[in-house]
Amino acid sequence: MKDFLKSVRFKILVAILTVLLGFMIMAVYTGGSASLFAQLITLVTVPIQRVSANISYSVSEFFDQFVDAKYIHEENEVLKAEVNELRRIVADYERIKHENEQFRQIIGVMENRQDLTTEIAAVIARDAADRFYSFTIDKGSFNGVKRLDPVMTADGLVGYVTEVGFTYAKVITVLDVEMDVGAYDSTRTPGVNIYDSSTRDIGIISGTIELAASGLCQMEYLPRESSISAGDIIMTSGGSMFPKDILVGTVQQVKPNSHGTSLVAIIKPAADIVNVKNVFVITHFEGQGET
């Protein structure tokens, strides 16, 4: 017996009993909590689980970014389409508002000029190669439009019809070299009777290539002693082709002609020749076509 107590087997048995006793005591104090073995295992597995969870979260967030980016892109495309549609609606509203304002002005002019028979028309095309901004309107012979009919806006004279189809007509402007309009200086000169037509300076409105590039035309054959000056208002003098007292424009400059025999007035048309969108054709006026 004495030899057994000194043997290795006895020592191993004591060690095992000691460990078991320790587990029993720990179980008592922990009230049934996880065993020491289980806790030892968790010392190894918890860090591994933590790393695994972090990797899982990172991968999930990585792929979520693609999903979110796709969703955001699609949402942005929808919003862009809505913004573009709103812009189109606003543009259409502004265009219609502007056209209505032009029509009101045209109607106002027509009401004040009962001597004119007119046809409202829209500009539907322009000749990009034309230096004088000629254009095509959406009214023709079916609407009573004829060749040489004057064309104007509520602001003033634009030009006249040169070609007529059933449903369209082509118009040249006051900037054109082919233009030939009798006109007079309507601005009152101090001390001169404005009702005496003999005291008014009369000339011919025509265009040049150089002036057309700046949106201007000219009034030629003014007498050298003319009192015309910058700021004066120029009106049509009337005749067989154009009715009387249609506003042409404003004098910008007065200078001698190339021969020094008369004066030339540079005119800024009252109508917006370059950007005109709506016009009315004067299909009849008193004296039209008479020679």
Side-chain angles (χ1 to χ4, degrees):
M1 183 66 177
K2 185 176 181 179
D3 292 335
F4 175 72
L5 293 176
K6 294 181 179 180
S7 67
V8 175
R9 289 180 180 180
F10 177 76
K11 293 179 180 179
I12 293 173
L13 181 60
V14 171
I16 291 172
L17 291 174
T18 302
V19 171
L20 290 175
L21 181 61
F23 284 159
M24 292 174 64
I25 295 172
M26 184 175 293
V28 172
Y29 280 99
T30 57
S33 298
S35 66
L36 178 61
F37 178 74
Q39 295 188 45
L40 291 174
I41 294 299
T42 59
L43 291 176
V44 177
T45 59
V46 167
I48 295 175
Q49 290 174 337
R50 185 180 298 114
V51 171
S52 176
N54 289 337
I55 293 174
S56 176
Y57 293 149
S58 298
V59 171
S60 177
E61 290 177 356
F62 177 75
F63 284 104
D64 285 345
Q65 290 178 357
F66 286 100
V67 174
D68 291 343
K70 181 180 179 181
Y71 173 76
I72 292 172
H73 175 73
E74 292 175 350
E75 187 176 37
N76 285 341
E77 291 301 315
V78 172
L79 291 175
K80 285 180 181 179
E82 292 177 352
V83 169
N84 290 335
E85 178 64 15
L86 289 174
R87 286 175 177 171
R88 186 191 63 77
I89 293 173
V90 171
D92 287 345
Y93 169 77
E94 291 297 330
R95 176 181 57 79
I96 294 172
K97 178 181 176 182
H98 179 66
E99 289 180 353
N100 287 341
E101 180 61 30
Q102 288 183 321
F103 289 144
R104 279 195 293 269
Q105 292 174 351
I106 289 173
I107 292 171
V109 171
M110 291 165 59
E111 289 176 346
N112 293 329
R113 293 296 301 264
Q114 297 295 325
D115 57 319
L116 306 179
T117 301
T118 61
E119 181 69 33
I120 296 176
V123 176
I124 57 174
R126 285 187 178 276
D127 184 354
D130 185 72
R131 299 180 180 182
F132 309 110
Y133 303 97
S134 62
F135 55 84
T136 302
I137 57 176
D138 64 348
K139 297 296 176 65
S141 58
F142 280 162
N143 310 99
V145 176
K146 307 176 298 300
R147 186 175 178 274
L148 303 183
D149 279 350
V151 177
M152 61 181 293
T153 68
D155 296 318
L157 185 67
V158 172
Y160 66 87
V161 175
T162 58
E163 180 183 329
V164 181
F166 291 131
T167 58
Y168 76 92
K170 294 185 177 181
V171 178
I172 67 169
T173 73
V174 293
L175 307 183
D176 203 297
V177 294
E178 296 183 18
M179 183 58 62
D180 188 2
V181 185
Y184 71 95
D185 181 3
S186 69
T187 302
R188 180 175 181 177
T189 302
V192 176
N193 183 358
I194 62 172
Y195 300 104
D196 183 359
S197 60
S198 64
T199 64
R200 295 176 176 176
D201 295 323
I202 298 175
I204 301 296
I205 299 295
S206 64
T208 71
I209 294 176
E210 293 78 14
L211 290 175
S214 301
L216 303 172
C217 57
Q218 63 182 5
M219 184 176 181
E220 298 182 283
Y221 309 116
L222 291 163
R224 286 185 296 177
E225 63 275 11
S226 171
S227 60
I228 191 170
S229 61
D232 285 3
I233 304 299
I234 305 301
M235 311 283 285
T236 57
S237 57
S240 62
M241 189 169 173
F242 293 91
K244 189 176 181 180
D245 292 334
I246 300 297
L247 177 62
V248 177
T250 307
V251 176
Q252 302 293 294
Q253 178 188 0
V254 179
K255 62 181 181 179
N257 70 354
S258 58
H259 303 291
T261 56
S262 63
L263 298 179
V264 175
I266 307 302
I267 309 296
K268 180 177 178 57
D272 186 359
I273 304 298
V274 177
N275 300 303
V276 63
K277 297 292 189 301
N278 298 287
V279 299
F280 59 95
V281 182
I282 302 175
T283 58
H284 178 74
F285 61 92
E286 186 176 354
Q288 184 179 25
E290 296 179 1
T291 57

